[in-house]
Amino acid sequence: MGTWQWAAGLVTGPASPEDLIAARTQMALSLGWHIILACLGVGMPTLMVLIEWRGLRTGDEAYRRLALQWAKAIGVLFAAGAVSGTILSFELGLLWPAMMGMYGQVIGLPFAAEGVAFFIEAIFLGIYLYTWNRVSPKAHLLAGLPVAISGALSAFLVVCANAWMNTPVGFTAAGGRVRQVSPWRAMFNPAVPHETLHMIVAAFMVAGFLVAGVYAMGMLRGNTDRRHRLGFVVPFTLAAAFTPIQIIVGDYSGKSIHELQPAKLAAAEALFRTQAGAPLSIGGFVSGDRLHYSIEVPKALSLLAGGSFDTVVQGLDRVPRADRAPVGIVHFAFDLMVSMAFALLLLSAWFAWSWWRRRDLPRSRWFLRFAALSGVAAVVATEAGWTVTEVGRQPWTVYGHMRTADAVNPAPGLWAGFALVLLVYLVLTVVILYVLRLLRTERPVAPQEPEELPQARAR
C-alpha cells in the first residue's frame, strides 16, 4: 500500500484550525527551502556544461577548473535536494491525505515521471564527477548534458502537478469520488504553459545571480584574478539575459491568470471592484475591503490583463468572502516579486551597457555591491512569486474542488512534525553552507602542477 493510500486511511474527521496552521506552515517551510535548491539544480548544470564547453573551445584552463568546482557544488546541493524532495513527497501524503487519496490517481503521472528524471540526473551527475580526466574531454562534456536536461525536466514535471492544483482538469467528480480519469489531460492542464515557463526562467535567474554574487563578493575583497572574473561574468550574463525574458513571461502569466483564475489576479492587485479601465495598484496596504496609500496607474491593469483599456477585470466583489485568498499577503508578495524583477532588470541593463561600450564590467564598486545582492534578490522574487501562486489559490488546495481545510490530516500533534522538520532544515542549512565554504576556499592549483591524475595519464 502506497504512502498516499495509507495516509488516506487515517482520515477520521475534520481537522482543527491548529492542525491546519501546522500543516500549512510545514508545507510552506519545505517548499520555500526546497525551491532554492531546485532552482540551483536547474540552472547550475547548464552553467557547468556551458563553462566546460568554453574551456574546450578556448583551451583556457580557468574555465575547466571552474566547471570542476561547480560540479562538486552541484553534487552537494543535489544530495541536499534529494533529502528535501523526499520530505516533500512524504508530506503530500501525511499532511494532505484527503487530497492525495482522492486525486492521487489523477495527478500521479507527473510525479512518477519526475522520479525517472531524478534518477537520470543522479546517474549522469555521478558519471560526470567520476569520469573527470578519465574519458576524452568531449565525452565528458556530453555526460554533463543529461544532467542539465533532466534537471529542467524535473522542474517542468513538478510544476505540471502544481499547475493542475490551480486549473484541475482530467476527471469528473461525483458523490465524493473521481471518475473518467485522464492523467495526460490532467498533466497538460491549462496552467502548464505559463507556470512552467515562469518557474524555469526563474530558476536560471536564481542560479546565475547567486553564483555570480559569490564571485562579486570575492572581487569586492580584492580577488580580481581571471578565475573570479570568469566565475562572475558567465553566470551573470546568463541571468541577465533571462531577466527581460522573465518580464515578458510574467506579463504572459498575468494574462493567463486573468482568464483562468480571476480571483487570484484580483487578490494580487487588491482589486475589490469589478470594472473596465481597472487601475494598476502599486504598494499600499489592505485594511477591510480597501487598499490604502497605493500608487494607481489608471487603466493599466485592464491593458495588461486584456490588451485594452476597456477590458473588464473581475474584482473581489464577485468572489464569496469565504472563497477569498488573504488579499494583503498576496498583494504584498506580488509587489515584492515585481519590484525585485525590475531591480534586476536595471542591474542587467547597467551590465549590458558597460559590456557593449567597453567590453568590461562597470567600473563603479556599487555595481559589484548590487551584483553581490542580486542572488538574494532573485531568491526573494522567486519565493514571493511562489507565495502568490500558493496563497493566491487559497482557500482551495484543488481549485474549485477541495478546500485546504478539508484536505489536511486531522490527526493531532502536527506541530511536533513541524518542529522536527524545522530542525532537519536547520541542520541541513548549516551543513550545506559549511561544505560549500570548504569548496569556495579550496586550495587553488598552481599552473605548474599537473592536472591529470597519474592513473589518467597512464591511460
Side-chain angles (χ1 to χ4, degrees):
M1 182 180 290
T3 303
W4 299 346
Q5 288 77 13
W6 171 80
L10 296 177
V11 179
T12 57
S16 68
E18 292 76 16
D19 291 329
L20 180 59
I21 292 173
R24 290 185 63 184
T25 306
Q26 182 174 334
M27 204 69 194
L29 170 67
S30 294
L31 286 170
W33 199 90
H34 183 74
I35 198 171
I36 301 173
L37 294 186
C39 288
L40 292 171
V42 172
M44 282 197 71
T46 299
L47 285 170
M48 174 188 75
V49 172
L50 177 63
I51 207 160
E52 187 181 10
W53 172 76
R54 285 289 298 165
L56 290 179
R57 289 266 299 176
T58 63
D60 189 335
E61 192 55 29
Y63 284 110
R64 293 194 72 236
R65 294 199 182 284
L66 277 174
L68 178 59
Q69 190 175 32
W70 292 355
K72 292 178 180 176
I74 291 169
V76 174
L77 296 171
F78 183 86
V83 174
S84 57
T86 302
I87 291 173
L88 273 169
S89 66
F90 276 97
E91 285 176 343
L92 280 173
L94 294 173
L95 297 180
W96 315 106
M99 181 189 76
M100 299 312 298
M102 184 167 181
Y103 295 105
Q105 58 183 311
V106 182
I107 200 57
L109 178 60
F111 287 120
E114 195 276 336
V116 176
F118 171 81
F119 283 118
I120 292 173
E121 185 178 6
I123 290 167
F124 277 92
L125 179 59
I127 292 173
Y128 185 88
L129 287 169
Y130 179 75
T131 57
W132 192 272
N133 283 339
R134 286 183 167 88
V135 297
S136 72
K138 287 186 179 178
H140 186 262
L141 178 65
L142 290 175
L145 287 177
V147 182
I149 295 171
S150 55
L153 182 60
S154 289
F156 171 82
L157 293 165
V158 169
V159 178
C160 278
N162 180 267
W164 176 83
M165 295 168 71
N166 287 298
T167 54
V169 294
F171 67 95
T172 57
R177 302 182 64 180
V178 295
R179 305 176 189 278
Q180 298 179 309
V181 174
S182 173
W184 288 104
R185 184 161 176 255
M187 181 172 161
F188 294 102
N189 59 80
V192 163
H194 72 267
E195 271 206 40
T196 54
L197 196 57
H198 207 28
M199 185 67 245
I200 291 174
V201 173
F204 281 109
M205 288 177 62
V206 167
F209 283 127
L210 269 180
V211 174
V214 172
Y215 291 93
M217 286 190 287
M219 294 170 75
L220 284 169
R221 291 169 182 157
N223 299 316
T224 55
D225 54 86
R226 180 163 176 74
R227 187 173 69 92
H228 275 80
R229 283 180 62 83
L230 289 177
F232 174 82
V233 170
V234 174
F236 194 90
T237 301
L238 181 77
F242 272 108
T243 301
I245 296 173
Q246 184 68 310
I247 301 294
I248 297 170
V249 172
D251 177 67
Y252 166 57
S253 297
K255 287 179 169 59
S256 300
I257 293 171
H258 168 64
E259 296 292 333
L260 300 171
Q261 292 182 287
K264 179 183 287 186
L265 180 63
E269 285 294 335
L271 183 70
F272 287 91
R273 183 170 63 85
T274 302
Q275 55 190 294
L280 182 70
S281 299
I282 302 171
F285 70 91
V286 175
S287 177
D289 280 355
R290 290 189 61 189
L291 178 64
H292 301 271
Y293 303 111
S294 65
I295 300 171
E296 289 193 353
V297 183
K299 300 186 178 182
L301 180 58
S302 286
L303 179 64
L304 291 172
S308 167
F309 290 123
D310 298 323
T311 299
V312 176
V313 181
Q314 178 183 309
L316 291 165
D317 56 344
R318 292 189 181 177
V319 182
R321 194 168 292 277
D323 291 347
R324 295 181 185 178
V327 181
I329 295 174
V330 179
H331 179 64
F332 174 76
F334 183 75
D335 279 354
L336 184 61
M337 174 188 67
V338 174
S339 61
M340 290 295 107
F342 276 94
L344 291 171
L345 182 66
L346 289 175
L347 189 65
S348 301
W350 189 1
F351 170 76
W353 173 260
S354 176
W355 200 264
W356 177 60
R357 293 293 300 271
R358 301 187 296 107
R359 303 291 293 176
D360 201 357
L361 301 179
R363 291 169 180 162
S364 171
R365 285 179 65 82
W366 278 105
F367 172 76
L368 287 178
R369 292 187 181 110
F370 287 131
L373 295 173
S374 63
V376 176
V379 169
V380 169
T382 303
E383 298 281 9
W386 198 246
T387 300
V388 173
T389 300
E390 296 299 286
V391 180
R393 192 184 62 243
Q394 301 305 315
W396 305 97
T397 188
V398 179
Y399 190 68
H401 290 272
M402 177 178 280
R403 291 179 181 274
T404 306
D406 296 329
V408 70
N409 191 335
L414 293 185
W415 279 108
F418 167 68
L420 177 62
V421 169
L422 177 62
L423 179 63
V424 169
Y425 285 130
L426 284 174
V427 172
L428 272 177
T429 302
V430 171
V431 171
I432 290 171
L433 292 178
Y434 175 74
V435 175
L436 291 181
R437 184 175 173 80
L438 289 180
L439 288 176
R440 184 177 66 84
T441 58
E442 191 176 43
R443 181 180 67 89
V445 179
Q448 68 274 15
E449 291 185 37
E451 177 198 357
E452 296 182 348
L453 297 172
Q455 297 88 329
R457 289 199 301 271
R459 292 184 177 86

